[in-house]
């Protein structure tokens, strides 16, 4: 997906004020075949037939390096002078019912880290994610649940699938009076983890679990 057209213009009032001209321009800029990646699997005959079909669609277009360049996703800086807060209102019966959600998100890499994010770094982050929040006894998960300030964990930790990886954690069904307390607790837990570290047994268990997940045979529609 090329994304939300309203985000291409920081002065835009949002999707409700989007004009047809803006929409068409966004489509031409971001959905041009120049930006496409086509994956085909199957027998040699399957691949040939599919590529012939694709060629029937794409032969009407020329590769456009200008579109390719202007459609590149720009890196965001992972360091800011101040925290950025976003408050998103949504319908709730009452504030005292504990209908708020709080999530803290860290951006883990930017353009300066391209060479640093090797497969080894990816594995290290995945291991740390498992240690922090991967099981019900993991310190970040357990202490947040035990705090009673929310009904469940949100954020799901590490998200490695985007250009820039993030780590996010929070809770839902939080009372307004507990929002700041919960945010402080998240940072305190992480400070405690830095101070205490993990035992070699915990790290070995995490690596064994990750190895098992990588070796596990997939079933269903996904390839094994």
């Amino acid at each position: 997906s090329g994304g939300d057209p309203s985000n291409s213009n920081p002065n835009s009032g949002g999707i409700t004020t989007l004009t047809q001209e803006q929409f068409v321009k966004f489509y031409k800029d971001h959905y041009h075949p120049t930006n496409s990646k086509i994956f085909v699997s199957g027998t040699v005959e399957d691949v040939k037939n599919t590529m012939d079909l694709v060629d029937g669609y794409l032969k009407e277009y020329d590769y456009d390096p200008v579109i390719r360049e202007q459609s590149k996703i720009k890196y965001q800086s992972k360091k800011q002078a101040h925290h950025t807060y976003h408050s998103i209102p949504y319908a709730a019966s009452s504030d005292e019912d504990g209908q708020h959600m709080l999530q803290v998100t860290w951006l883990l890499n930017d353009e300066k880290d391209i060479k640093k994010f090797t497969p080894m770094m990816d594995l290290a982050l995945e291991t740390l994610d498992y240690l922090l929040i991967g099981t019900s006894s993991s310190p970040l998960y357990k202490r947040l649940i035990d705090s009673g300030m929310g009904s469940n964990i949100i954020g799901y930790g590490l998200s490695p699938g985007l250009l820039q990886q993030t780590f996010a954690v929070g809770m839902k069904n939080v009372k307004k009076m507990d929002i700041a307390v919960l945010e402080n607790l998240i940072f305190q837990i992480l400070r405690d983890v830095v101070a205490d570290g993990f035992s070699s047994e915990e790290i070995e268990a995490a690596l064994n679990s990750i190895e098992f997940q990588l070796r596990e045979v997939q079933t269903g529609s996904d390839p094994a």
Side-chain angles (χ1 to χ4, degrees), residues 69-116:
E69 183 64 29
Q70 70 185 19
S71 296
K72 284 185 177 178
I73 300 174
K74 296 181 180 179
Y75 279 88
Q76 300 179 51
S77 173
K78 68 178 181 181
K79 293 184 178 180
Q80 299 178 342
H82 305 284
H83 291 161
T84 300
Y85 290 88
H86 291 285
S87 179
I88 305 173
Y90 66 99
S93 55
S94 72
D95 178 60
E96 293 304 317
D97 286 339
Q99 297 294 313
H100 292 270
M101 291 189 291
L102 171 74
Q103 177 175 295
V104 183
T105 305
W106 289 266
L107 191 61
L108 301 182
N109 63 306
D110 58 19
E111 197 167 9
K112 300 176 182 178
D113 297 318
I114 294 177
K115 293 183 179 180
K116 296 180 182 178

Side-chain angles (χ1 to χ4, degrees), residues 14 20 25 28 32 34 40 48 60 67 72 79 88 111 124 134 141 145 149 151 156 161 164 166 168 171 183 189 215:
Q20 182 179 5
K25 182 179 184 306
K28 289 181 177 180
H32 192 277
T34 296
V40 181
K48 182 180 183 304
E60 299 179 9
I67 285 180
K72 284 185 177 178
K79 293 184 178 180
I88 305 173
E111 197 167 9
Y141 183 96
I145 291 295
M149 283 188 279
S151 64
Y156 308 108
Q164 292 182 266
T166 61
M171 300 192 81
E183 181 181 4
I189 295 171
R215 292 176 181 272

Side-chain angles (χ1 to χ4, degrees), residues 201-212:
E201 291 79 10
E202 290 172 323
I203 296 173
E204 184 177 358
L207 289 172
N208 287 338
S209 179
I210 293 171
E211 181 181 10
F212 178 79

Side-chain angles (χ1 to χ4, degrees), residues 19 30 102:
T19 65
H30 296 278
L102 171 74

